[in-house]
């Protein structure tokens, strides 16, 4: 009897141990956030998730932006791949889906997804299947330093057309102010100009026609004109000295230091210009202004159309089910509200935008809500191969080594060649 | 079995000739070694070749074959390649303006290495080979850049060259001028990188030359002096000819190293602006890896491999035949 009892006890012990071992799951979460304040909140979120899910550990891994993009294909094919990864949606996401390295999470998020902005969820949907959840949306536009504008006597609220912008640049230069700072070494900050001009000139129809190869594709009038207008700006030499050697964080810091009047920014630079400024304060709220990208002559797009990012989190193939749970937890109303309160993002969870305290970000949230056509960054939307050519070509127009016409040709050639 | 193997191993070892041996003894020893090798040749081959061949196959032949295979596909690196496009990737490489620039830059690096770096290293070696107070310290000082990691060197120089805050900017400010952004202009970026290359690698070649100079038979130089040669004449007709083997080796290292240059370029310019400072390897990375065009990148890799192997073989055959 004693023996049987002991045996039962031992069996129970083994079962318990096995149970504990099985529950010890690690969710590997790869991110590229550099803002320490935001990372701190994320870490707290991870710990909170662990507290609610005993036996689950969330392990944060970090890669810098460019390194992340370069390493991702390799990382995703390794056996030790992270479970939750960052994504800008678009062509890269499509390539990942086609390669079968992502988990189809449609079933796990069936009821949940209705809490999120539908247009943002759509960016992570392919053939009716959901592969990730959107975490934040952003808008590209001009962030400006009110003090420097006042010094040159320019009224930023009056900049509505492309010619207004060119005039403002001239006036700022005349007053001895560097009009625009840009991280041209990274190339993608330069592509914002060309892309946003194309969004304005062609609108949604223009981009969709180009994707189908109509109207000359990316070699067509819309895109050549974008290059020409961009060249008009470049010819005024509006950028800081050595702009082709600047990396984006350097450029954003330069703006934060109050050394240039404008930066064509992603709305998230609102926070990063502080952390990257030499004094960690950056341009204060009273001095910081925003105006939407100006409208060039002959624009077919709506002035309310927006260019920006839709970023989110993907779950990779073969991840534990806790990975999806974590993503849902991370994009919950509470977390999104908290991040919004700290001005770190424009939330995708409906109602979380109530947390936005700064008028700056409220304005952008309203812009995006009003926009009927929110274009994802071209270098993301078109995939890594064509996207990089867009970045190259715009950097070459800016550097004067390529004509707008040749740039459009190069992009179309890359597009035809495909990925 | 084990006894037999020991015998085979032992038969392949001939005692190293000691310095005291006369030349006739040396000749005898080497012919003895050759003879015993022939006897144990098959056994040695069977014993030593398979592991080496296996390692060589796994780590050299297979990857090269794989790269050659991938270079025939239009493939983004995900899953298995399926879209066979034959030699199109090679055509894209040769049509690419950026590849032309990268190739030109590699040639430029070789020219600067041969015409600036090696003469500089040789001059310094001639000055520092003799023993005098501070010679060792100076040698270490010149050798120091070589010890530094490439990536660190690149980062340091990206700060030095910064037109706003860099060392260069400070120097310009002394003269009341505004510093150029050397790394941000297609006209100057490669020039700036070449300076870093010379700075980083001359110490290595200097050390090679110093080692060769110190191993040189001083009697020959003294004999030249006794015969009435001036310092320049002894340098020209005795020292430099005796250095030829080392110079040939240095040239070999410099050229192969130039073809492989990558980790200095990335932190400095990443090949930009406008692809003006790519090398072939950074071209491979920028256009193959980051664009997820694995087939294209493989084609670049194969081209690079062919260039390096062709150079290595011809150079060995033409210039290093005696060694």
């Amino acid at each position: 009897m004693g023996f049987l009892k002991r045996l039962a006890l031992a069996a129970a012990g083994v079962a318990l141990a096995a149970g504990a071992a099985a529950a010890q799951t690690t969710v590997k979460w790869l991110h590229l956030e550099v803002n320490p304040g935001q990372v701190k909140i994320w870490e707290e979120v991870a710990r909170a998730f662990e507290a609610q899910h005993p036996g689950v550990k969330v392990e944060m891994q970090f890669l810098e932006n460019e390194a992340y993009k370069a390493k991702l294909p390799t990382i995703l094919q390794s056996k030790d791949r992270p479970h939750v990864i960052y994504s800008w949606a678009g062509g890269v996401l499509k390539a990942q889906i086609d390669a079968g390295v992502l988990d189809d999470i449609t079933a796990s998020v069936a009821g949940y997804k209705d809490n999120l902005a539908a247009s943002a969820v759509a960016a992570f949907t392919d053939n009716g299947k959901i592969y990730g959840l959107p975490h934040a949306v952003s808008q590209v536009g001009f962030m400006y330093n009110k003090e420097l504008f006042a010094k040159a006597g320019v009224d930023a609220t009056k900049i509505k057309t492309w010619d207004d912008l060119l005039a403002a640049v001239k006036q700022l230069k005349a007053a001895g102010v560097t009009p625009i700072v840009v991280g041209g070494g990274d190339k993608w900050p330069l592509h914002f100009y060309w892309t946003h001009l194309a969004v304005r000139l062609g609108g949604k129809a223009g981009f969709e026609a180009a994707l189908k190869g109509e109207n000359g594709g990316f070699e067509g009038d819309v895109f050549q004109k974008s290059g020409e207008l961009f060249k008009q700006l470049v010819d005024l030499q509006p950028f800081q000295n050595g702009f082709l050697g600047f990396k984006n964080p350097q450029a954003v810091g330069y703006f934060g230091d109050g050394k240039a009047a404008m930066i064509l920014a992603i709305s998230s630079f609102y926070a990063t210009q502080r952390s990257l400024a030499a004094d960690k304060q950056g341009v204060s709220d009273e001095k910081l202004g925003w105006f939407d990208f100006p409208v060039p002559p002959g624009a077919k797009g709506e002035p309310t159309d927006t260019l920006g990012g839709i970023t989110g989190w993907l779950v990779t193939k073969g991840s534990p089910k806790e990975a999806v749970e974590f993503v849902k937890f991370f994009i919950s109303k509470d977390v999104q509200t908290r991040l919004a309160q700290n001005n770190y993002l424009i939330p995708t969870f409906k109602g979380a935008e109530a947390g936005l305290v700064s008028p700056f970000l409220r304005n952008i949230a309203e812009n995006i809500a009003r926009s009927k056509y929110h274009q994802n960054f071209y270098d993301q939307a078109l995939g890594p191969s064509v996207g990089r050519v867009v970045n190259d070509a715009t950097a070459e127009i800016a550097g004067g080594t390529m004509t707008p016409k040749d740039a459009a040709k190069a992009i179309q050639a890359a597009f035809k060649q495909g990925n | 079995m084990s006894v037999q193997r020991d015998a085979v191993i032992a038969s392949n070892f001939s005692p190293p000739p000691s310095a005291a041996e006369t030349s006739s003894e040396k000749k005898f020893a080497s012919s003895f070694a050759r003879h015993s090798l022939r006897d144990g040749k098959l056994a040695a081959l069977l014993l030593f070749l398979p592991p080496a061949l296996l390692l060589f196959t796994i780590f050299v032949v297979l990857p090269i074959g794989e790269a050659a295979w991938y270079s025939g596909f239009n493939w983004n690196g995900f899953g298995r390649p399926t879209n066979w496009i034959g030699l199109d990737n090679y055509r894209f490489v040769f049509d690419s303006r950026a590849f032309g620039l990268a190739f030109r830059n590699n040639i430029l690096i070789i020219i600067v290495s041969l015409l600036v770096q090696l003469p500089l290293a040789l001059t310094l070696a001639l000055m520092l080979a003799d023993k005098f107070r501070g010679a060792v310290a100076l040698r270490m000082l010149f050798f120091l850049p070589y010890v530094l990691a490439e990536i660190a060197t690149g980062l340091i120089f990206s700060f030095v060259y910064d037109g706003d805050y860099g060392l260069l900017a400070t120097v310009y400010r002394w003269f009341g001028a505004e510093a150029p952004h050397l790394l941000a202009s297609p006209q100057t970026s490669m020039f700036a990188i070449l300076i870093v290359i010379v700075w980083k690698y001359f110490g290595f070649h200097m050390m090679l030359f110093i080692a060769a100079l110190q191993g040189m038979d001083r009697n020959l130089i003294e004999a030249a002096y006794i015969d009435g040669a001036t310092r320049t004449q002894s340098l020209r007709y005795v020292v430099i000819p005796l250095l030829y083997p080392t110079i040939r080796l240095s040239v070999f290292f410099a050229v192969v190293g130039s073809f492989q240059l990558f980790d200095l370029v990335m932190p400095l310019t990443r090949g930009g602006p406008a692809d003006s400072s790519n090398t072939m390897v950074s071209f491979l990375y920028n256009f193959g890896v980051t664009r997820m065009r694995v087939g294209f990148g493989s084609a670049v890799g194969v081209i690079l491999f062919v260039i390096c192997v062709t150079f290595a073989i011809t150079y060995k055959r033409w210039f290093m035949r005696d060694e």
Side-chain angles (χ1 to χ4, degrees):
Chain A
M1 192 62 196
F3 169 74
L4 267 182
K5 204 172 183 181
R6 245 180 297 158
L7 189 71
L9 266 175
V14 168
L16 266 176
Q24 199 51 250
T25 322
T26 306
V27 173
K28 284 181 282 180
W29 172 25
L30 181 62
H31 73 95
L32 38 93
E33 183 53 54
V34 287
N35 190 327
Q38 194 165 344
V39 172
K40 194 167 161 282
I41 299 182
W42 288 16
E43 263 164 8
E44 286 167 22
V45 172
R47 298 297 89 83
F49 181 78
E50 286 172 354
Q52 282 187 24
H53 298 76
V56 181
K57 200 172 160 294
V58 178
E59 187 186 301
M60 280 175 103
Q61 303 170 336
F62 169 78
L63 270 179
E64 185 271 336
N65 190 310
E66 291 300 304
Y68 178 82
K69 289 179 194 164
K71 278 191 180 166
L72 206 54
T74 331
I75 289 176
L76 284 178
Q77 295 185 78
S78 90
K79 287 221 161 50
D80 191 36
R81 62 184 156 223
H83 304 125
V84 177
I85 59 166
Y86 194 72
S87 172
W88 294 267
V92 181
L93 173 67
K94 185 84 173 76
Q96 290 162 349
I97 293 169
D98 290 345
V101 291
L102 300 180
D103 254 350
D104 171 5
I105 58 168
T106 319
S108 326
V109 299
Y112 186 87
K113 70 166 202 299
D114 300 330
N115 298 316
L116 307 174
S119 63
V121 175
F124 290 93
T125 311
D126 185 62
N127 269 335
K129 290 177 185 157
I130 299 171
Y131 292 91
L133 290 179
H135 160 69
V137 283
S138 61
Q139 187 194 354
V140 168
F142 279 102
M143 209 155 74
Y144 71 96
N145 185 323
K146 289 181 181 165
E147 208 172 48
L148 293 175
F149 266 65
K151 188 179 160 198
V154 184
D155 184 358
T157 57
K158 295 236 167 68
I159 301 179
K160 298 288 173 204
T161 68
W162 188 247
D163 290 335
D164 292 343
L165 179 73
L166 298 181
V169 164
K170 281 182 209 159
Q171 211 171 327
L172 284 160
K173 272 198 86 144
V177 176
T178 302
I180 309 178
V181 61
V182 65
D186 281 341
K187 294 181 182 174
W188 56 262
L190 282 168
H191 114 288
F192 288 171
Y193 288 89
W194 186 85
T195 307
H196 215 325
L197 281 164
V199 167
R200 286 272 180 270
L201 286 171
K204 189 177 187 177
F207 184 61
E208 280 171 358
L211 287 179
K212 285 184 211 136
E214 292 163 7
N215 304 336
F218 289 96
E219 220 176 320
D221 286 344
V222 166
F223 301 94
Q224 282 197 29
K225 188 85 189 298
S226 308
E228 283 158 20
L229 290 171
F230 179 37
K231 185 86 170 61
Q232 274 186 4
L233 175 69
V234 169
D235 285 343
L236 297 177
Q237 301 190 317
F239 305 120
Q240 83 279 18
N241 279 333
F243 70 97
L244 286 174
F246 270 63
K247 296 183 176 73
N248 185 60
Q250 245 179 312
V252 176
Y254 198 91
F255 178 81
D257 290 343
K259 289 181 161 180
M262 287 181 260
I263 182 167
L264 185 55
I266 310 178
S267 45
S268 59
F269 290 7
Y270 172 75
T272 42
Q273 61 96 7
R274 293 161 192 269
S275 61
L276 292 168
D279 60 2
K280 303 285 164 212
Q281 305 293 318
V283 181
S284 65
D285 268 3
E286 312 86 71
K287 286 192 213 156
L288 193 68
W290 173 278
F291 60 91
D292 291 331
F293 196 86
V295 181
K300 291 210 178 71
E302 297 290 325
T304 53
D305 290 347
T306 44
L307 171 73
I310 305 164
T311 53
W313 299 98
L314 310 174
V315 177
T316 61
K317 192 117 217 151
S319 296
K321 62 181 191 316
E322 285 83 359
V324 189
E325 292 310 311
F326 176 69
V327 171
K328 281 154 80 176
F329 184 82
F330 189 67
I331 305 176
S332 65
K333 191 168 182 181
D334 287 351
V335 177
Q336 288 246 311
T337 308
R338 190 167 167 209
L339 288 166
Q341 275 165 352
N342 285 282
N343 303 322
Y344 288 134
L345 51 74
I346 312 281
T348 52
F349 201 102
K350 288 176 194 163
E353 65 271 13
L356 287 170
V357 278
S358 98
F360 184 94
L361 289 181
R362 270 182 176 280
N363 171 43
I364 284 161
E366 280 161 23
N367 281 346
I368 294 172
R370 205 182 309 127
S371 147
K372 290 194 191 73
Y373 164 44
H374 186 71
Q375 172 61 50
N376 194 355
F377 304 124
Y378 275 10
D379 63 341
Q380 297 305 323
L382 295 173
S385 174
V386 185
R388 293 260 172 179
V389 176
V390 172
N391 292 349
D392 287 350
T394 47
E396 295 224 18
I397 296 176
T401 44
M402 208 183 229
T403 64
K405 197 174 172 177
D406 288 341
K409 256 188 200 157
I411 294 162
Q412 176 62 12
F415 183 71
K416 262 198 263 173
Q417 211 175 305
N419 275 313
Chain B
M1 180 63 198
S2 105
V3 174
Q4 211 175 343
R5 193 193 299 156
D6 286 349
V8 170
I9 293 169
S11 75
N12 278 299
F13 278 105
S14 64
S18 78
E21 277 175 330
T22 64
S23 72
S24 74
E25 269 170 335
K26 256 188 214 163
K27 210 177 274 171
F28 171 76
S30 73
S31 90
F32 172 77
R34 217 177 296 141
H35 186 71
S36 69
L37 194 71
R38 198 176 297 137
D39 283 351
K41 203 173 177 182
L42 189 68
L45 218 64
L46 288 177
L47 197 65
F48 292 117
L49 198 59
L53 203 64
L54 190 71
L55 288 177
F56 187 73
T57 312
I58 292 175
F59 293 109
V60 181
V61 179
L62 282 182
I64 292 169
E66 222 173 15
W69 168 243
Y70 291 153
S71 73
F73 289 95
N74 187 359
W75 181 41
N76 62 14
F78 282 119
R80 298 299 307 167
T82 47
N83 187 6
W84 176 260
I85 54 168
L87 291 176
D88 274 5
N89 276 326
Y90 291 91
R91 196 165 53 79
F92 295 145
V93 174
F94 290 117
D95 282 353
S96 157
R97 185 188 73 100
F99 183 77
L101 282 175
F103 185 74
R104 184 207 67 177
N105 286 339
N106 273 121
I107 300 296
L108 210 62
I109 296 168
I110 292 171
I111 293 172
V112 169
S113 295
L114 298 188
L115 297 186
V116 179
Q117 182 167 278
L118 295 189
L120 177 71
L122 185 59
T123 316
L124 286 169
L126 288 169
M127 282 163 26
L128 297 177
D130 298 324
K131 289 196 177 71
F132 61 89
R133 271 178 77 90
V136 175
L138 275 174
R139 273 180 228 160
M140 282 324 294
L141 193 70
F142 289 135
F143 189 65
L144 221 54
Y146 181 72
V147 179
L148 212 59
E150 268 84 354
I151 200 86
T153 315
L155 280 174
I156 291 169
F157 270 87
S158 70
F159 294 126
V160 169
Y161 283 140
D162 189 294
D164 291 317
Y165 313 101
L167 186 68
L168 196 73
T170 317
V171 174
Y172 267 76
R173 236 169 267 137
W174 286 342
F175 299 99
E178 202 184 327
H181 286 259
L182 288 180
L183 296 175
S185 148
Q187 281 80 38
T188 53
S189 59
M190 199 57 215
F191 169 73
I193 291 177
L194 285 170
I195 292 176
V196 184
I197 292 172
V198 171
W199 177 83
K200 177 134 179 54
Y201 296 109
F202 80 91
F204 169 72
H205 297 285
M206 183 194 76
M207 280 307 201
L208 284 184
F209 292 144
I210 288 179
L213 285 168
Q214 289 179 339
M216 210 174 266
D217 191 349
R218 310 298 293 177
N219 292 334
L220 288 167
I221 302 165
E222 269 163 41
Y225 282 131
I226 290 166
D227 288 344
T230 61
R231 192 172 154 71
T232 346
Q233 280 171 330
S234 82
L235 208 63
R236 182 161 167 211
Y237 296 107
V238 183
V239 177
I240 305 274
L242 284 172
L243 271 179
Y244 277 159
T246 314
I247 293 176
R248 283 196 285 262
L249 192 70
S250 247
V251 169
F252 183 77
F253 281 145
V255 174
V256 172
S258 304
F259 279 127
Q260 293 171 344
L261 192 80
F262 170 73
D263 29 16
L264 267 182
V265 176
M266 292 316 279
L268 281 168
T269 62
R270 276 191 250 160
D275 299 313
S276 60
S277 62
N278 267 321
T279 61
M280 280 192 280
V281 186
S282 73
F283 173 86
L284 191 164
Y285 178 78
N286 286 330
F287 286 78
V289 179
T290 65
R291 280 156 216 239
M292 291 168 57
R293 295 172 71 195
V294 177
F296 182 84
S298 299
V300 180
V302 170
I303 293 168
L304 198 62
F305 174 75
V306 169
I307 293 176
C308 283
V309 167
T310 315
F311 167 76
I313 291 176
T314 31
Y315 190 80
K316 279 229 159 213
R317 183 155 292 173
W318 288 357
F319 297 101
M320 296 172 81
R321 216 178 340 195
D322 312 331
E323 285 130 44

